[in-house]
Amino acid sequence: MRILQVSLVLLLSCAGAPRALHTAPPGVEKHVEGLDFTKAGDEAVEVLRGYLRLDTINPPGNETIGAEYLKAELAKDGIESQVHEFAPGRGSLIARLKASKPSGEKPLCLLSHIDTVPAETELWPKEQGPLSGALVDGMIWGRGALDMKGMGTLELQVFRWLSRKNVPLHRDVILLAVADEEVGEGGMKLVTGPLWDELQCSHVINEGGMGIRGLFTENQTAFAISVGEKGILWLRVTAEGEAGHGSTPTDNRAPMRLVAAMEKLAARQAKPRIQPAMYELMRRVGEKNGGFTGFVMQHPSLVDTFAMKKLLGKPTTRAGVTDTCQITGFEGKGSAPNVIPSQTAAIMDCRLLPGTTPKAMQEELEALVKDLPGIKFEVLQAFEAAVSETDDAFFDALARHAVEGRDDAVAGPVISPGYTDSILARAKGARAYGFVPFDITPEELATFHGRDERVSVKNVHRGLEILYRAVVDVAAVP
Ligand SMILES: [Zn+2]
């Protein structure tokens, strides 16, 4: 008993005190007064439905039609914008609201991508197809509803309402709707390349996190704000050996060497490592929920001891606490069933937590197969994880408004297992937050890239209010 007490004290002493949160400047609230979010939300729904009807499936993209659509919407409010193409038909839109009383703070940028992933039209419900923009039973259907024309529409509407209400700004607010996020980041490369000098965003909001119902606790929504993204290491692992005839197997054939190497690589034991962002999200959930589980969640060392098994049990949370490596395909084959090729290869997709460099991961993998002859590693793509500061007024504003007036919601930071255009903004020194302020069920989340992608009217209404309030807090003059 005594031993337990001592170890508990030691464990608890590791828990850090939560930081002081940034609050909205007094007086800024008046810029929200008089805005009817139900009416504004209804307009957003119609804009989104029109946007979903445009085919910007990538490949090929054709984002210019989407950019021109947004441009025409802005023009109705007399707001100028420019469309920049990185290739014919591959346009990105930029519009800017200038600060009337500049504080010296750099622009706040509202980023979305215009392109969507492909959709197998024949698998969708007939009347609610991927390019239908159909509104049925309070749900808006179409490819991009969640990823991410829905958010792009919210950003457009926030932007035009700032203009309509003549909200005085102390920093520029920039609307960025870019091409080609889903394939080659062509639009964002243009934005963070030749166009960046004019933009200089210090803060970017983009996709990455959402509110998920029941993520930790039933009947509670956890709004996950992505503050960072895992790095990647894409590898070709090639096995070489003696070519020959399939009728006379030997030990030095490339395919068998590859199988042996893959067996060793697949058996790699990843060491779990919880990121500060995840400790912070759990602390917030624990603080909200109380009880024994809540107590455990508020103390990092207790989380390590008691919660790690659960975190490692689900693919989604496991990806959040480990460096993962997945074999995603094979290359190279003999010219006939009876021909053994001299070379064959596997492709691997590794995702790296902050703190693991691509080089370190490659060395770890190479060490696992060092006893096998004829195995070579080739890097196809590699970049390190990047994380934005959470001690930030915009981060706090997003978290605050997401849960405002709700007992059944909590908001906190996460590191996304996948990457988005935010990596390019972070590389330019911007703080990027991935947060689509929708409150969705796991079933709705499953429609992301699925054959039934949709978002509720209620989410469009509420999301618009969350985003508008957060932007006003950090960009408006009180
Ligand atoms: Zn997306």
Side-chain angles (χ1 to χ4, degrees), residues 363-412:
E363 285 169 1
E364 186 186 329
L365 297 178
E366 281 173 345
L368 289 172
V369 296
K370 67 175 188 309
D371 297 337
L372 299 173
I375 303 295
K376 284 196 314 204
F377 287 77
E378 179 193 345
V379 177
L380 303 175
Q381 170 87 284
F383 55 79
E384 253 182 87
V387 183
S388 295
E389 181 62 62
T390 50
D391 187 357
D392 180 273
F394 188 43
F395 173 84
D396 283 351
L398 292 168
R400 185 169 62 244
H401 291 298
V403 301
E404 197 150 56
R406 292 183 57 168
D407 284 334
D408 63 340
V410 61

Side-chain angles (χ1 to χ4, degrees), residues 23-30 477-478:
T23 53
V28 87
E29 185 69 19
K30 65 174 176 283
V477 179

Side-chain angles (χ1 to χ4, degrees), residues 113 147 181-182 207:
H113 61 82
D147 182 19
E181 190 276 341
E182 299 289 1
E207 63 185 338

Side-chain angles (χ1 to χ4, degrees), residues 189-269:
K189 281 177 183 159
L190 181 69
V191 163
T192 53
L195 301 175
W196 189 254
D197 271 356
E198 282 175 41
L199 300 170
Q200 297 284 338
C201 316
S202 68
H203 288 81
V204 173
I205 183 162
N206 184 26
E207 63 185 338
M210 280 192 188
I212 313 284
R213 198 90 185 137
L215 186 65
F216 290 101
T217 310
E218 231 183 308
N219 299 322
Q220 184 184 60
T221 295
F223 285 99
I225 302 172
S226 171
V227 297
E229 293 168 355
K230 288 175 87 174
I232 65 165
L233 175 65
W234 291 345
L235 291 167
R236 177 180 288 117
V237 186
T238 304
E240 287 174 347
E242 203 185 324
H245 199 276
S247 63
T248 49
T250 63
D251 290 339
N252 58 3
R253 308 297 201 189
M256 292 317 290
R257 284 178 169 172
L258 186 68
V259 169
M262 287 303 114
E263 221 170 337
K264 287 193 179 242
L265 294 176
R268 167 183 161 269
Q269 290 292 323

Side-chain angles (χ1 to χ4, degrees), residues 88-325:
R90 311 299 306 272
S92 299
L93 172 116
I94 301 179
R96 179 191 293 255
L97 294 175
K98 293 286 277 178
S100 51
K101 289 185 188 165
S103 62
E105 211 175 335
K106 285 183 177 175
L108 172 65
C109 295
L110 313 177
L111 172 66
S112 69
H113 61 82
I114 299 171
D115 59 321
T116 69
V117 293
E120 298 158 292
T121 307
E122 62 284 2
L123 298 177
W124 287 60
K126 225 184 169 85
E127 306 298 321
Q128 290 119 267
L131 298 172
S132 68
L135 175 56
V136 181
D137 296 332
M139 301 298 289
I140 306 147
W141 289 69
R143 173 62 81 229
L146 295 174
D147 182 19
M148 72 173 290
K149 287 178 172 172
M151 178 64 171
T153 301
L154 297 188
E155 292 176 348
L156 173 86
Q157 294 303 110
V158 165
F159 193 82
R160 78 201 303 187
W161 274 106
L162 291 172
S163 165
R164 284 172 183 172
K165 284 180 70 70
N166 264 319
V167 175
L169 301 172
H170 67 78
R171 65 200 293 195
D172 292 2
V173 175
I174 297 175
L175 185 68
L176 296 170
V178 302
D180 198 30
E181 190 276 341
E182 299 289 1
V183 177
E185 291 91 38
M188 194 57 180
K189 281 177 183 159
L190 181 69
V191 163
T192 53
L195 301 175
W196 189 254
D197 271 356
E198 282 175 41
L199 300 170
Q200 297 284 338
C201 316
S202 68
H203 288 81
V204 173
I205 183 162
N206 184 26
E207 63 185 338
M210 280 192 188
I212 313 284
R213 198 90 185 137
L215 186 65
F216 290 101
T217 310
E218 231 183 308
N219 299 322
Q220 184 184 60
T221 295
F223 285 99
I225 302 172
S226 171
V227 297
E229 293 168 355
K230 288 175 87 174
I232 65 165
L233 175 65
W234 291 345
L235 291 167
R236 177 180 288 117
V237 186
T238 304
E240 287 174 347
E242 203 185 324
H245 199 276
S247 63
T248 49
T250 63
D251 290 339
N252 58 3
R253 308 297 201 189
M256 292 317 290
R257 284 178 169 172
L258 186 68
V259 169
M262 287 303 114
E263 221 170 337
K264 287 193 179 242
L265 294 176
R268 167 183 161 269
Q269 290 292 323
K271 283 187 218 66
R273 197 166 79 239
I274 297 181
Q275 297 298 303
M278 188 178 273
Y279 282 131
E280 175 61 14
L281 176 63
M282 294 182 91
R283 189 192 65 72
R284 290 175 182 219
V285 173
E287 194 177 64
K288 183 97 187 167
N289 294 357
F292 175 71
T293 309
F295 181 80
V296 168
M297 288 175 101
Q298 288 178 71
H299 296 90
S301 308
L302 295 183
V303 168
D304 288 349
T305 312
F306 295 111
M308 190 62 92
K309 209 172 152 199
K310 208 171 169 191
L311 290 170
L312 289 170
K314 270 202 261 178
T316 42
T317 44
R318 183 165 59 235
V321 296
T322 56
D323 298 314
T324 60
C325 282

